[in-house]
Amino acid sequence: MSLLDTAGIFRFHKEQIQTYGEGTAEALGWENKEGQLQRFEVLSAIGDLNHRSVLDAGCGYGDLRGYLQDKYPDIRYFGIEQIPALLDIAVERYASLPETLFFQGDFSSAELPVTDYILLSGSLNYINSDPLFILKIIEKLFNNCRIAFGFNLLSYADPAQGLIVSYKPDFIREYCNRLSSNIQFRDDYKTNDYTIFMYH
C-alpha cells in the first residue's frame, strides 16, 4: 500500500474518531455496532475455529476477538492493525484473553504468521491507487492460511463517503474461483454487503 493510500486511511479514521468518539464501531467506519456484529456472525461461520489459529487482518479495535471468545473459546488469535490509536484500544480490551497477540503492521505488506484461518472484516473497503490491489491482497491472504480465508466487501458504496469503495460481487467471485475450487458466497444477510469463504 502506498504512503498516500495509508495517509488517507489514517486521516479517515482520525475524522471518524473526532465525529463519533474513540472506541466506537462508527469510528471504524461501520454504520453501527449491529452492522459490525452481523458481519462477525457471518464470518465466524467459516468453520469450527476451536483449537485453530486465526489471523484478524486489519483488526481495528479487536472486537472480532471478543466475539470469537464467546463463540469459540479455544482459539489462538493474532490481530494486526496499522493505526496505533486503534491498536491501543484493541490491546486494552482483549490482550488479556488467552492465546491472543496483537501487533502493529500493514497486512498488505507485512510478513504475516501462517494460520489455519484468516478473517477480514471491512479492511478492504478503502479506495487504493493500485487498481489490482484488491486482487493481490486476496491472493496473498489466501496463500497465507492453511484451511480458509474469509472476507467481506461492499457491493455498493455511497460516493459521498469518499474513501470507501465497493466491488462487483461477480468480478470478485470469478477471481476467487481461479484461486480455489471451493468457495462459498453469501449476500443474504445485509443490503450492499457480501462475504466470500475460500477453502484450500
Side-chain angles (χ1 to χ4, degrees), residues 70-90:
D70 293 335
K71 194 166 184 178
Y72 299 108
D74 189 11
I75 64 170
R76 292 183 64 216
Y77 171 94
F78 300 88
I80 180 170
E81 172 57 54
Q82 64 175 336
I83 301 176
L86 306 185
L87 188 64
D88 288 347
I89 290 179

Side-chain angles (χ1 to χ4, degrees), residues 52-145:
R52 298 294 187 181
S53 56
V54 177
L55 173 69
D56 183 2
C59 66
Y61 291 137
D63 294 321
L64 180 59
R65 179 64 184 100
Y67 182 88
L68 293 176
Q69 179 64 21
D70 293 335
K71 194 166 184 178
Y72 299 108
D74 189 11
I75 64 170
R76 292 183 64 216
Y77 171 94
F78 300 88
I80 180 170
E81 172 57 54
Q82 64 175 336
I83 301 176
L86 306 185
L87 188 64
D88 288 347
I89 290 179
V91 169
E92 183 182 317
R93 285 180 177 174
Y94 304 111
S96 62
L97 291 175
E99 298 280 3
T100 298
L101 178 66
F102 290 101
F103 57 104
Q104 186 178 347
D106 174 359
F107 65 80
S108 71
S109 56
E111 187 173 337
L112 303 172
V114 176
T115 52
D116 296 318
Y117 292 91
I118 294 179
L119 299 178
L120 183 153
S121 188
S123 301
L124 293 176
N125 290 337
Y126 307 108
I127 288 173
N128 194 280
S129 56
D130 179 359
L132 298 179
F133 177 78
I134 180 77
L135 306 182
K136 292 173 183 175
I137 291 301
I138 289 171
E139 182 174 11
K140 174 183 177 176
L141 296 183
F142 179 61
N143 289 336
N144 210 82
C145 63

